[in-house]
Amino acid sequence: MQLEDDDTLLFIGDSITDAGRDRADPASLGEGYVHEIARTLRERAHDGPGPRVINRGINGHRVYDLESRWNTDVMDHRPTVVTVKIGINDTWRRYDRNLPSPVDEFEACLDRLLAATARKLSAQLVVITPFLLPAGPDQERWFEDLSPRTDAVLRAAAHNAAQVVRADLVLPRAAQDREPAELAPDGVHPSPLGHRLIADAWLAEVAPTAADARR
């Protein structure tokens, strides 16, 4: 899609989206992939300001937490593009707090949020898949929960005509050429390089340049 200066891009999710943003400052974008996307779009805009970018990620949130704040943190801003990055905490809480998030309920919740947003705002929807670069043997078993959850994210995205950014493919592919800890030291939270890779994947999918289109 062609992004314009009057577009509003809203990103919502967990700590990977939050990335240390200052919640006392509504304009704060954190230091992660959202910040990188906004910086790149400003550089591309040249004489204009570029699209407005809003970050509404919150550490530790699962999909049900997003639903509880969706009206105030998404709908009230009237965004033209909504990007959702969620799922890893729905898996993580199963293993560290014995707090399951059944995949069918997770999928139904995500589907509700995407469908309502498309219906009420006519916004372009973007979904970033959850990912994991295991930092140890304990995390390897998370895939029994995360893999079907990722499939659920893809189904919900397809059902609502959302564009998909495959972080679950981009980061493991990058980890073939470097140590996974260079991309996500704890297996979950990206390093600056990991965030840049997510940002580049989003830009290539949502706002490609002419050079991207020729690849």
Side-chain angles (χ1 to χ4, degrees):
M1 66 181 295
Q2 181 67 41
L3 297 176
E4 307 292 345
D5 288 350
D6 59 355
D7 276 311
T8 295
L9 316 183
L10 189 143
F11 296 81
I12 187 166
D14 50 35
S15 57
I16 297 167
T17 299
D18 184 318
R21 71 182 177 93
D22 178 2
R23 294 190 206 141
D25 177 6
S28 176
L29 299 180
E31 297 298 327
Y33 76 89
V34 178
H35 176 269
E36 292 295 305
I37 289 168
R39 181 170 62 84
T40 299
L41 293 176
R42 283 195 303 270
E43 290 171 353
R44 290 184 185 178
H46 300 299
D47 296 333
R52 180 187 181 206
V53 179
I54 300 171
N55 186 342
R56 289 297 178 265
I58 294 182
N59 295 344
H61 273 201
R62 301 190 301 160
V63 73
Y64 317 107
D65 300 301
L66 300 194
E67 187 169 40
S68 70
R69 60 188 177 92
W70 199 261
N71 284 335
T72 55
D73 280 5
V74 178
M75 298 298 196
D76 288 355
H77 294 283
R78 309 296 298 178
T80 54
V81 182
V82 176
T83 299
V84 185
K85 164 73 179 72
I86 201 69
I88 190 61
N89 287 323
D90 293 84
T91 288
W92 198 344
R93 295 294 85 85
R94 170 181 171 182
Y95 296 97
D96 71 347
R97 299 183 191 173
N98 193 29
L99 186 62
S101 173
V103 170
D104 58 343
E105 295 178 13
F106 169 90
E107 181 175 353
C109 185
L110 180 58
D111 185 79
R112 283 195 301 273
L113 297 178
L114 296 176
T117 306
R119 183 176 66 253
K120 295 178 182 179
L121 298 182
S122 298
Q124 174 61 48
L125 302 175
V126 184
V127 173
I128 303 177
T129 53
F131 69 89
L132 176 68
L133 297 177
D138 287 346
Q139 282 186 336
E140 289 282 357
R141 67 190 181 114
W142 291 15
F143 283 112
E144 66 183 354
D145 186 279
L146 185 61
S147 293
R149 194 174 304 281
T150 302
D151 291 340
V153 169
L154 295 173
R155 286 193 298 269
H159 187 239
N160 293 281
Q163 292 176 266
V164 178
V165 178
R166 294 296 301 268
D168 65 310
L169 301 181
V170 169
L171 290 166
R173 190 179 299 133
Q176 294 175 1
D177 300 321
R178 51 179 55 84
E179 288 296 319
E182 293 181 47
L183 303 172
D186 66 353
V188 172
H189 296 97
S191 65
L193 174 57
H195 275 292
R196 186 65 240 183
L197 290 171
I198 296 171
D200 287 344
W202 188 96
L203 289 161
E205 177 65 31
V206 181
T209 62
D212 293 326
R214 289 195 295 268
R215 290 176 185 169

